[in-house]
Amino acid sequence: MWRSVRAGAVPGSVFALMDAAKERARAAGLAVVDLSIGSSDLPPPDVVLEVLRGATRDPGTYRYPLFSDTAPLREAAAAYLARRFGVTVDAQTEVLPLIGAQEGLAHLLLAVTDPGDTLLLPDPCYPPYLGAAAVAGLNVVTLPLRAERGFLPDLDSVPPGVRPRALLLNYPNNPTSAVADAAFFRKAAAWCRARGTLLIHDHPYAELTFGEYRAPSALEAGLDGVIELHSLSKTHHMGGFRVGFAAGDAGAVAALAGVKGAVDFHPYLGIQRAAAYALLLPDAVGRAGAAVFETRRDALVPALRTLGWEVETPQASMYAWARVPGLRDSVAFAVRAAERTGVAVSPGAAFGAGGEGFVRFALVQPPEVLRAAARTLGSVPVS
């Protein structure tokens, strides 16, 4: 009775189905190894936690934070972008704190699109993208991400009659772990500018990169018509703190600020202080966390290949994306695996039709646990 058209359009969550399967496994006495959720199991840097602890004892942090109060975090974000990517932004007009990048995206779509506008969205993609598009009342046109193209979209394949209001990209990518170079973003930005399309880049895995690879920023292609969302959830292991920032095109940032001004007062000032401190830490701090995930990658990928599963060695992110030979129903397989073995993975179909036949592993357990999980999954029939 009370469900709006917008709420009714939000797709159901396969992850709720997986949660139920995990509960059945626990009820059956199985120890659950949850590799289905991409939530970092590492702690934030101690110095960041100390900043937060100190802030909780400061009565000045207890009030509503106004925009002027966000200046330290905005300035820290601008300094991070300059140091890491060589990108210059105006902290006053081209940066805005977020209560997590997921919140930021949902409000950004409300701020820069109108119902019925077209959003270009990769397939597969992070499922909340679809929910945010539904709430905004958008027409979604999908761009297939195929292994033979390195899971990069072919923008030239978009039909001439499609006039997108926005294009949403995400590299390093969830779920595929694919990466993009600066040349790709220059091409994407030029493609968007030629069509009056806003390029939105979701960039939560900016620092979770392995070996010599370093992820570029879409903002390196220029700020005009480009906005990027950053999160401290993965890079600084602060997922529960719900803090990040948007940066880029001043008009898009202003529109987002207008929408957010109607619904929130920014993150708690203590969390803002901690986030600002984290962004100003030496790059070596983030590299230390990435090295942990790289070690886990190096344990899991060979173990999956011994099963005959097809998986590229990720250069970034906190996932492994594996094609399972003969798999036709990834949801049924993931539920069966959780119920029978306690090992929970994300079914590829949860990320869109293009994910069918795949499963996604989150690298959120130690190497020996990941190896054992792979061996266990080898006993689960694919049909």
Side-chain angles (χ1 to χ4, degrees), residues 47 79 112 148 156 189 196 210 217 261 342 367:
V47 290
V112 300
E148 57 269 24
D156 295 330
F210 310 140
S217 165

Side-chain angles (χ1 to χ4, degrees), residues 199-277:
L199 172 55
I200 304 171
H201 183 226
D202 187 23
H203 205 8
Y205 305 101
E207 303 307 325
L208 286 187
T209 61
F210 310 140
E212 298 302 314
Y213 176 73
R214 296 292 181 272
S217 165
L219 300 177
E220 294 175 46
L223 274 59
D224 180 30
V226 181
I227 188 167
E228 190 164 77
L229 309 177
H230 285 260
S231 168
L232 281 80
S233 295
K234 321 294 186 184
T235 59
H236 295 83
H237 321 292
M238 297 173 67
F241 294 76
R242 309 312 305 139
V243 61
F245 65 90
D249 186 286
V253 170
L256 174 57
V259 168
K260 282 176 60 62
V263 295
D264 73 61
F265 271 102
H266 308 291
Y268 163 57
L269 278 170
I271 289 176
Q272 289 192 50
R273 287 185 188 176
Y277 193 92

Side-chain angles (χ1 to χ4, degrees), residues 122-159:
D123 178 14
C125 71
Y126 181 46
Y129 293 171
L130 294 166
V135 169
L138 302 181
N139 171 47
V140 172
V141 173
T142 57
L143 289 168
L145 303 184
R146 305 190 190 283
E148 57 269 24
R149 288 185 52 86
F151 294 109
L152 295 172
D154 180 9
L155 295 175
D156 295 330
S157 70
V158 177

Side-chain angles (χ1 to χ4, degrees), residues 296-314:
R296 295 173 177 183
R297 175 205 69 176
D298 292 343
L300 179 61
V301 168
L304 294 176
R305 288 175 179 162
T306 64
L307 304 178
W309 294 12
E310 301 170 23
V311 53
E312 296 292 330
T313 300

Side-chain angles (χ1 to χ4, degrees), residues 341-368:
T341 72
V343 176
V345 296
S346 294
F351 303 93
E356 188 55 271
F358 290 83
V359 293
R360 191 199 71 177
F361 293 78
L363 303 173
V364 294
Q365 293 287 341
E368 61 274 13

